[in-house]
Amino acid sequence: MSLQQELATVIADGQSSGRLWLYSNYHCNLACRYCLTSSSPSSPVRELLPKQMLEAVQQAKILGFQSVGITGGEPFLLSSMPALLVEIAKILPVIVLSNGTLLGRPKIREQLLHSRGLPLQIQVSVDDPDPTVHDANRGVGSFARAIAGIPWLIEQGISVRISSTRHFETLQEQRVHEQNMQHWMSELGMNSDEHVGRTMVQRGQAVEAGLGVSVETDVLPADLTLTRMGAFYSPFAPTFIGDRLQTDMLLSRTILPLQIPLRQFLNVIGQAQPSDKSADRSGFV
């Protein structure tokens, strides 16, 4: 069976979404208390070069991946990112995860206009419609900066989704949060299905801050993830505690050609127990 056939089977069986994740960089203009990558303004950039990302996406298309995800750090700190997103969206559908605070910059907006009509979605992190709740983990004033660019994206017809990273003690707390988010989003002219709740995972900075929940590997999304340091089993895998990379889910130090880490990825999935293959991964994508 070819790599393409194996990947297609894994996707059809629901063991992977078929999305290739790219960590474009690790530095950020915020310093969130629960950040998986311990990103901050003082973090090393650890950049995947635009040429590497574009090459990976081109190979992903041939191998049968169905979409691309880009995360960081804050991807829009890279001046090349808006134009790169346009080029990637011409090859495969792409979603980019952002804190939203830079989307008011004229140069970023100017280049994003070229993405209209292409399968690009920008996921903006808004942890709660209450600014004090959002800012408690992301920094004072970050809520106002995060939401400022959302109306413009909607007006321009650029697809936008909201994500909230939270940890709730009770199901009732979670339900109240979801209701509040739906009401707030409706005021923006957005639908409830354009919101995703993400579990606050105890990896990276969250470990040092004592936040989030400890989870087993089998409940994390199994999607091949490339970084400057290597290829990993899940987008929740290439995390940092301080300056120390967590390598428990490292697949390969080689990221290109893509066949090499994909082979390792499929081997790991093939070794999973039947119970692992059917694990509930809701709240992590």
Side-chain angles (χ1 to χ4, degrees):
M1 187 182 295
S2 68
L3 277 179
Q4 289 91 334
Q5 290 171 323
E6 286 188 58
L7 179 59
T9 298
V10 163
I11 295 171
D13 289 346
Q15 296 171 253
S16 175
S17 73
R19 176 174 288 160
L20 175 69
W21 281 96
L22 305 173
Y23 268 77
S24 59
N25 60 301
Y26 274 74
H27 67 316
C28 187
N29 58 325
L30 301 182
C32 301
R33 295 178 63 229
Y34 56 75
C35 182
L36 288 170
T37 54
S38 298
S39 295
S40 73
S42 61
S43 295
V45 177
R46 303 185 180 106
E47 178 184 359
L48 266 181
L49 298 177
K51 180 180 179 181
Q52 291 175 302
M53 289 191 277
L54 195 57
E55 184 176 350
V57 173
Q58 290 167 339
Q59 294 181 18
K61 173 70 173 179
I62 295 171
L63 290 168
F65 284 86
Q66 297 184 346
S67 64
V68 175
I70 296 179
T71 186
E74 171 50 50
F76 285 107
L77 281 175
L78 301 177
S79 61
S80 60
M81 183 53 61
L84 180 63
L85 288 171
V86 173
E87 293 306 309
I88 290 175
K90 293 176 182 178
I91 303 170
L92 282 172
V94 57
I95 183 170
V96 57
L97 278 54
S98 171
N99 61 37
T101 61
L102 304 178
L103 295 176
R105 292 186 175 182
K107 287 186 178 180
I108 291 177
R109 289 189 173 187
E110 179 183 353
Q111 294 184 67
L112 284 177
L113 289 175
H114 296 292
S115 73
R116 288 184 294 189
L118 293 173
L120 166 66
Q121 185 172 61
I122 298 177
Q123 179 170 301
V124 178
S125 299
V126 180
D127 291 342
D128 197 271
D130 182 345
T132 59
V133 175
H134 177 96
D135 290 359
N137 283 323
R138 292 182 174 268
V140 175
S142 61
F143 176 85
R145 295 164 61 201
I147 69 170
I150 295 175
W152 180 85
L153 292 172
I154 296 172
E155 290 170 5
Q156 300 303 320
I158 299 171
S159 178
V160 58
R161 184 168 78 164
I162 303 297
S163 70
S164 302
T165 303
R166 298 288 301 275
H167 172 57
F168 301 101
E169 296 295 337
T170 67
L171 184 59
Q172 179 61 22
E173 287 181 3
Q174 182 177 351
R175 287 173 177 166
V176 170
H177 165 74
E178 291 172 352
Q179 291 171 356
N180 291 340
M181 288 298 299
Q182 289 174 11
H183 177 72
W184 175 75
M185 289 176 64
S186 68
E187 293 181 337
L188 287 175
M190 300 181 66
N191 299 319
S192 59
D193 61 0
E194 294 171 317
H195 173 252
V196 57
R198 304 180 74 218
T199 300
M200 188 183 294
V201 177
Q202 198 168 85
R203 290 181 67 86
Q205 183 63 29
V207 174
E208 295 190 336
L211 298 172
V213 294
S214 177
V215 298
E216 299 297 327
T217 302
D218 59 7
V219 301
L220 295 175
D223 286 321
L224 182 59
T225 301
L226 305 186
T227 75
R228 180 172 177 173
M229 294 75 63
F232 293 78
Y233 170 80
S234 169
F236 284 81
T239 56
F240 277 83
I241 300 178
D243 293 328
R244 179 168 55 86
L245 176 66
Q246 296 180 268
T247 58
D248 52 319
M249 289 182 270
L250 176 67
L251 298 171
S252 168
R253 289 292 186 179
T254 300
I255 62 173
L256 294 172
L258 195 59
Q259 290 94 327
I260 293 176
L262 177 58
R263 175 72 277 159
Q264 298 301 317
F265 175 73
L266 293 171
N267 286 346
V268 171
I269 287 186
Q271 295 166 6
Q273 298 299 316
S275 60
D276 297 340
K277 297 178 181 179
S278 60
D280 181 10
R281 295 178 172 87
S282 60
F284 293 96
V285 293

